[in-house]
Amino acid sequence: SRALPAGTRQKEEGGIQLTQKYLENYYGFKKDGESFIWKSNSPMTKKIKEMQEFFGLEVTGKVDSGTLDLVQKRRCGFPDVAG
Amino acid sequence: FTTFAGEPKWAKQVLTYRILNYTPDLRPVDVNASIKKALSVWSSVTPLKFIKKDRGDADIMISFAARAHNDFMPFDGPGGSIAHAYAPGKDFGGDAHFDEDETWTKSTEGTNLFYVAAHEFGHSLGLFHSKDSNALMYPVYRKFDPSVFPLHQDDINGIQYLYGPSNTHNDQRESTEIKDPTESKEPTLPNTCDPSLTFDAVTTFRGEIMFFKDKHFWRKHPAVQTADFNLISSFWPRLPPGVDAAYEIPEKDKTVIFKGNEFWVVRGDTILPGYPQKIHTLGFSKDITKIDAAFYNGNEGKTYYFIADKFLSYDKRSQSMDRKPILISNEFPGINGKIDAVFQHENFFYFFCGRKQFEFDPDKKRVTRLLKTNFWFPC
């Protein structure tokens, strides 16, 4: 597979971290010790889907542009799911 | 809409709030007004009433802070999380915290305090986030139209699920049914859309505008389509009908109401003790037996009292009253003769003379618009 240019990879990782932080703050996501397992049923993917469903985004489970755009918007600090 | 788990809500209808500190981004008077207006959004559609406290405990404690601030939800610097509030309950319950790292404004630039506070007070009253992207309780901050009432039907459904509709609104519906004059024994109720409508007095009142007419008054939030219609006696049983003048001192949460040579001071629906008093205790000479209209200009700390085609003003800073009456048209060019009522809204003065209403710009010192008296109503 073609290696991603460093810049793009960094940007992608930044987006993932931003999304992870968002899910921790507002969707009760707890990153367990393991590193990311990009399986369709990984906890992170499930939480991304939950958030995309709440906001009426396309439910892809991926950090796509719509999701990345959303996690950077100003918002209320209270979670979207009952904690 | 959704509520918090277990549907926590306040068991009482009169709630207190206290602003513990102020953001340096806005004048305190603007913070007070934004918070008051944000609460009135919810009180206009429920039986709830909000009373401001300046000391001691209150149901809704409001504060500005950055980063970690003595709860378990630290803020995150500019952007991101901009505020949060807690569900009804004791201690933290109901409290609202605003991130000082935001730039708080009263415009559509920066982060509008009124709009965010209205959302957070939805939480303070028991609403959780809504998935409806038009709803105020949607979690993401969006540009908004300040001239549009911020509650969407989804928000109203949610808050009325918890507290029911505004009972004064119901009274209003009962009492504003315009019966066929041939049937009803009672004189017909004043109709806001009657082009010949005139008012006895008009004043701001806790972020709303109060229009007095005979035994009744309308209460109207500038951003809300509907107006509540009430008997004066339903709010202040001891106040006589047909008031002459009224004005509010927002920073003191006091409203002064005149009838004949007496005046009352009210706070919310309570007449403060020791009233009525005679108007000459305000410094008027004995030959003045009534006031036609009055308003308090918070920007300059002056209260204007209108009598026939003249006025007297009281300057709170020098604590002095004009020695002799001044012709109204000298100070307010274009406003000629006696006026029925006057109030200040944002940076304009609104003078009511018979069926006409004049919008006056004090900076340009001229009338900027000629309006109908029912301009503020959905006619």
Side-chain angles (χ1 to χ4, degrees), chain B residues 39-161:
Chain B
L39 289 165
S40 70
V41 159
W42 297 107
S43 58
S44 67
V45 294
T46 62
L48 298 174
K49 283 191 171 62
F50 298 99
I51 305 287
K52 187 172 186 288
K53 289 185 72 175
D54 295 325
R55 58 188 64 80
D57 200 13
D59 300 311
I60 299 174
M61 300 287 246
I62 295 155
S63 56
F64 292 82
R67 303 290 180 181
H69 53 280
N70 303 325
D71 70 7
F72 48 91
M73 296 171 79
F75 284 126
D76 50 7
S81 164
I82 56 179
H84 54 235
Y86 294 90
K90 55 187 182 14
D91 303 333
F92 268 123
D95 293 358
H97 301 161
F98 296 85
D99 186 351
E100 191 46 74
D101 280 330
E102 307 308 322
T103 303
W104 295 105
T105 71
K106 53 178 196 168
S107 70
T108 54
E109 299 311 311
T111 306
N112 182 280
L113 178 58
F114 157 68
Y115 195 69
V116 173
H119 172 101
E120 296 310 330
F121 295 147
H123 290 317
S124 305
L125 298 175
L127 288 183
F128 203 53
H129 281 147
S130 168
K131 294 181 177 177
D132 185 328
S133 61
N134 296 308
L136 177 67
M137 293 314 291
Y138 187 69
V140 173
Y141 181 82
R142 288 147 300 163
K143 290 285 180 197
F144 69 103
D145 177 349
S147 65
V148 173
F149 182 55
L151 291 192
H152 188 263
Q153 193 55 48
D154 180 72
D155 303 304
I156 294 173
N157 295 344
I159 203 70
Q160 292 188 345
Y161 169 76

Side-chain angles (χ1 to χ4, degrees), chain B residues 360-375:
Chain B
F360 186 89
D361 182 333
D363 297 332
K364 296 178 183 143
K365 287 190 89 66
R366 65 181 177 80
V367 171
T368 43
R369 281 195 292 178
L370 174 56
L371 307 163
K372 290 183 186 161
T373 48
N374 59 29
F375 164 77

Side-chain angles (χ1 to χ4, degrees), chain B residues 314-356:
Chain B
Y314 173 78
D315 185 326
K316 77 170 185 182
R317 288 165 195 153
S318 61
Q319 299 200 338
S320 63
M321 180 79 90
D322 293 329
R323 256 194 301 283
K324 60 185 179 51
I326 302 162
L327 206 56
I328 295 174
S329 53
N330 283 1
E331 180 68 17
F332 306 100
I335 309 298
N336 303 304
K338 171 183 176 305
I339 64 169
D340 296 334
V342 58
F343 74 102
Q344 176 177 17
H345 177 59
E346 291 170 358
N347 289 325
F348 290 97
F349 305 153
Y350 293 87
F351 290 90
F352 293 79
C353 308
R355 306 179 183 189
K356 293 193 187 102

Side-chain angles (χ1 to χ4, degrees), chain A residues 53 55 74-80, chain B residues 73 80 82-83 110-111 129 139 141:
Chain A
E53 192 273 330
F55 283 107
R74 285 173 291 172
R75 58 158 291 151
C76 171
F78 215 84
D80 294 337
Chain B
M73 296 171 79
I82 56 179
T111 306
H129 281 147
Y141 181 82

Side-chain angles (χ1 to χ4, degrees), chain A residues 33-73:
Chain A
E34 291 164 59
S35 59
F36 289 125
I37 298 171
W38 280 99
K39 290 187 297 189
S40 62
N41 62 346
S42 80
M44 174 94 170
T45 306
K46 278 183 196 159
K47 279 297 178 184
I48 290 176
K49 286 182 178 174
E50 187 179 346
M51 175 183 77
Q52 288 170 332
E53 192 273 330
F54 182 95
F55 283 107
L57 298 173
E58 188 191 354
V59 181
T60 63
K62 292 181 173 33
V63 181
D64 49 36
S65 59
T67 303
L68 202 50
D69 176 52
L70 183 92
V71 300
Q72 298 176 79
K73 286 192 167 156

